Amino acid sequence: MKTQFINQAIRTGALVMVTIFIMACGNNATHEEKNPTKGHSETQASSMSQTADLIFQDQQGKTVSLSSLKGKVVFINFWATWCPPCIQEMPSINKLKQSFNGNDHIVFLMVDVDANIKKSTGFMEKNQYDLPVYVPASEIPPSFLGDAIPTTVILDKKGNLIARMEGGRDYADPQMVTALNALIKSDE
């Protein structure tokens, strides 16, 4: 019973940290939630499970499904090479990923919504970003990607949607690292 309470406290703390980061993030982007059941601009919900098993494909044709990533924290960024806010936030996402190098408990998926893997991979190489590029290999539900890019989705180890953020951000913020570390350390 005590262990369950501690695990719940850790999950709640991680959710609070992600929420604080989202609210404190200083950017001028407009954030609109497309989920009609929510009355605020961004979604943070530890009990919102993914509705379908999403599948993404890399440049070599290798696929990865979200169900195969259970047990890991998943950071998904939906973007395009022509999108200025996407390009602007890319260095901070690269820096965030670098802070987790060697950590097998978190996965970063950079999903090119235009499905132009050659162009998006070239963009990453040209800018020397160490970010894995994927394209959708299945339909992306609106709970993950609405009408705006960039959109970032964070899933906990059980595959629950923890945060959905529209618009560009500074992901190198130490509060984001702390929040993701808390999710990684949680037992669930």
Side-chain angles (χ1 to χ4, degrees), residues 45-89:
S46 61
S47 64
M48 183 184 277
S49 297
Q50 59 201 51
T51 57
D53 190 18
L54 298 179
I55 301 170
F56 304 103
Q57 184 175 18
D58 69 10
Q59 187 174 15
Q60 289 74 37
K62 184 177 168 186
T63 60
V64 62
S65 67
L66 289 185
S67 64
S68 72
L69 298 176
K70 284 198 177 166
K72 299 176 188 259
V73 173
V74 182
F75 180 101
I76 306 171
N77 181 263
F78 297 100
W79 70 290
T81 57
W82 51 262
C83 165
C86 301
I87 293 167
Q88 184 178 2
E89 74 177 2

Side-chain angles (χ1 to χ4, degrees), residues 77-81 86 90 110-113 120 123-124 133 149:
N77 181 263
F78 297 100
W79 70 290
T81 57
C86 301
M90 209 57 69
M110 306 302 294
V111 180
D112 176 3
V113 297
S120 56
F123 171 85
M124 293 297 184
V133 177
I149 58 170

Side-chain angles (χ1 to χ4, degrees), residues 140-155:
I140 302 168
S143 61
F144 278 66
L145 178 62
D147 296 330
I149 58 170
T151 294
T152 298
V153 172
I154 299 173
L155 307 176

Side-chain angles (χ1 to χ4, degrees), residues 19-185:
T19 302
I20 289 170
F21 169 76
I22 291 167
M23 297 176 103
C25 185
N27 68 59
N28 296 325
T30 301
H31 310 288
E32 290 185 343
E33 174 54 48
K34 302 302 178 189
N35 183 342
T37 63
K38 299 291 177 190
H40 48 80
S41 63
E42 297 171 353
T43 298
Q44 304 89 26
S46 61
S47 64
M48 183 184 277
S49 297
Q50 59 201 51
T51 57
D53 190 18
L54 298 179
I55 301 170
F56 304 103
Q57 184 175 18
D58 69 10
Q59 187 174 15
Q60 289 74 37
K62 184 177 168 186
T63 60
V64 62
S65 67
L66 289 185
S67 64
S68 72
L69 298 176
K70 284 198 177 166
K72 299 176 188 259
V73 173
V74 182
F75 180 101
I76 306 171
N77 181 263
F78 297 100
W79 70 290
T81 57
W82 51 262
C83 165
C86 301
I87 293 167
Q88 184 178 2
E89 74 177 2
M90 209 57 69
S92 72
I93 296 174
N94 191 60
K95 186 174 179 182
L96 176 67
K97 183 183 179 290
Q98 287 174 349
S99 68
F100 290 99
N101 274 352
N103 189 328
D104 295 333
H105 301 287
I106 187 168
V107 175
F108 287 79
L109 303 173
M110 306 302 294
V111 180
D112 176 3
V113 297
D114 286 337
N116 189 338
I117 193 83
K118 186 175 180 178
K119 186 174 183 179
S120 56
T121 302
F123 171 85
M124 293 297 184
E125 290 171 359
K126 176 184 171 193
N127 290 288
Q128 299 180 330
Y129 296 140
D130 180 30
L131 297 169
V133 177
Y134 293 85
V135 294
S138 65
E139 188 173 334
I140 302 168
S143 61
F144 278 66
L145 178 62
D147 296 330
I149 58 170
T151 294
T152 298
V153 172
I154 299 173
L155 307 176
D156 69 8
K157 291 178 180 180
K158 287 186 172 183
N160 295 319
L161 181 65
I162 295 296
R164 179 181 178 275
M165 302 164 279
E166 290 184 357
R169 289 198 166 41
D170 177 9
Y171 287 103
D173 188 299
Q175 290 179 346
M176 180 54 97
V177 175
T178 301
L180 290 174
N181 272 320
L183 285 172
I184 289 167
K185 291 176 184 173

